[in-house]
Amino acid sequence: GPWLELNEVCQAVTTADLIQSMRGRAGDAWPWIERALERLRRSRTRPAVAEFLIHRARAALAAIGREVTDDPWLSAQLAAVSPRDPGRGFHRLLSWSPRARYYLEKGELGAELEELVHAFQAEGHNPRSVHVAVVEYYISIAHARIHQVLRERPRSRAARLPALRAAVADLGASARFPLAKAHHLVAEGYLAWFEGKTELAAKHLVKAEALATQQNCPWVLYASARAHAHMLRAAGKEEAARDKARVARLYAREHGAVTRARWIDEEFGFADPV
């Protein structure tokens, strides 16, 4: 009946969005979510997976920089399912990924993100055996830790490295498919560079780019270009660094990652921000 149909719609859309969000193609995924939300709006029934859909909708909107104040119904749905509320049962487990990604896509990597990380850790999840949908959580946290270290002054980065090492290790343990492995490789590249291992960092980044190209993953291509830009700047090659930064910004802009594009603008002082 209607309940089963709507449940299957939500399941299919959230699965597709999960894959596209890990690729960094939020702009491609949002129309699917929008159609599922419209189906939910018209329905008199509401399967439990609808809450997971709302969490994913919030993360997708954050990625593409959309506001929903002009849609009272959607605003009400988002208000009813807070990013701080993990829900219950199986969908509690699934909610960790879009909730972590929401803070990353918004660029809000402060106290609320740390509360989420502590709550997740308190549940004792094992990255080697956790449900495959939770891998996106580990991806988001690794990229959040990278950004936190990158934005510190070089002399102050050491204090941030333990959290990044832990995030990279968790991502590596959970990365059981090529798309996640691409994210792990690029995170390893950043970590190696922060630790002063420039040659090792370059090797990881080359492998990450090759796998990201194979997996159609502009997020990792963006992250690698951003890493190369900062490495070139650190080596005193400012013009080459800015050229590489423009490549990173293009990946972000073309695929709807508003915050990632803004980070490049801030870091390299481009005059035409998103």
Side-chain angles (χ1 to χ4, degrees), residues 6 29 44 48 52 62-63 69 79 115 118 126 132 173 192 197 200 257 270:
L6 184 57
R44 294 182 179 180
F52 185 42
T69 53
E115 288 176 11
H118 292 152
N126 183 347
V132 66
K197 305 169 185 175
L200 179 60
F270 292 125

Side-chain angles (χ1 to χ4, degrees), residues 121-182:
Q121 292 173 341
E123 292 191 352
H125 298 285
N126 183 347
R128 296 187 181 280
S129 58
V130 76
H131 190 280
V132 66
V134 184
V135 175
E136 187 189 26
Y137 166 87
Y138 293 110
I139 289 172
S140 295
I141 298 304
H143 284 286
R145 298 308 189 200
I146 287 168
H147 182 74
Q148 288 171 337
V149 177
L150 196 59
R151 285 300 180 93
E152 291 282 353
R153 295 177 181 272
R155 294 179 180 178
S156 305
R157 286 175 178 169
R160 292 276 192 180
L161 288 182
L164 175 57
R165 290 191 189 101
V168 172
D170 285 344
L171 176 54
S174 70
R176 302 190 295 273
F177 51 92
L179 185 55
K181 290 177 180 178

Side-chain angles (χ1 to χ4, degrees), residues 25-204:
R25 292 181 167 272
D28 294 342
W30 172 248
W32 304 339
I33 295 178
E34 200 167 30
R35 285 194 289 272
L37 289 170
E38 185 57 33
R39 180 66 183 83
L40 183 64
R41 187 197 304 258
R42 300 196 312 268
S43 177
R44 294 182 179 180
T45 186
R46 189 183 183 91
V49 73
E51 288 195 7
F52 185 42
L53 175 66
I54 297 300
H55 279 302
R56 299 213 64 85
R58 176 184 284 108
L61 283 167
I64 62 178
R66 282 267 306 269
E67 296 291 338
V68 295
T69 53
D70 60 337
D71 187 338
W73 179 86
L74 182 52
S75 296
Q77 303 305 305
L78 293 170
V81 183
S82 166
R84 303 184 74 167
D85 178 14
R88 298 176 299 279
F90 182 56
H91 293 104
R92 176 186 181 88
L93 178 68
L94 297 183
S95 76
W96 291 109
S97 284
R99 289 164 62 218
R101 180 169 155 250
Y102 167 72
Y103 292 117
L104 177 66
E105 299 286 13
K106 288 283 286 185
E108 297 177 356
L109 308 183
E112 290 192 10
L113 176 69
E114 299 304 329
E115 288 176 11
L116 183 141
V117 170
H118 292 152
F120 181 83
Q121 292 173 341
E123 292 191 352
H125 298 285
N126 183 347
R128 296 187 181 280
S129 58
V130 76
H131 190 280
V132 66
V134 184
V135 175
E136 187 189 26
Y137 166 87
Y138 293 110
I139 289 172
S140 295
I141 298 304
H143 284 286
R145 298 308 189 200
I146 287 168
H147 182 74
Q148 288 171 337
V149 177
L150 196 59
R151 285 300 180 93
E152 291 282 353
R153 295 177 181 272
R155 294 179 180 178
S156 305
R157 286 175 178 169
R160 292 276 192 180
L161 288 182
L164 175 57
R165 290 191 189 101
V168 172
D170 285 344
L171 176 54
S174 70
R176 302 190 295 273
F177 51 92
L179 185 55
K181 290 177 180 178
H183 283 279
H184 180 237
L185 281 167
V186 83
E188 282 192 312
Y190 275 95
L191 179 58
W193 180 57
F194 291 142
E195 293 176 335
K197 305 169 185 175
T198 304
E199 290 186 7
L200 179 60
K203 290 179 181 179
H204 285 317

Side-chain angles (χ1 to χ4, degrees), residues 213-230:
T213 300
Q214 178 189 343
Q215 294 296 313
N216 195 8
C217 181
W219 186 354
V220 167
L221 294 173
Y222 157 88
S224 182
R226 185 187 185 197
H228 280 298
H230 282 281

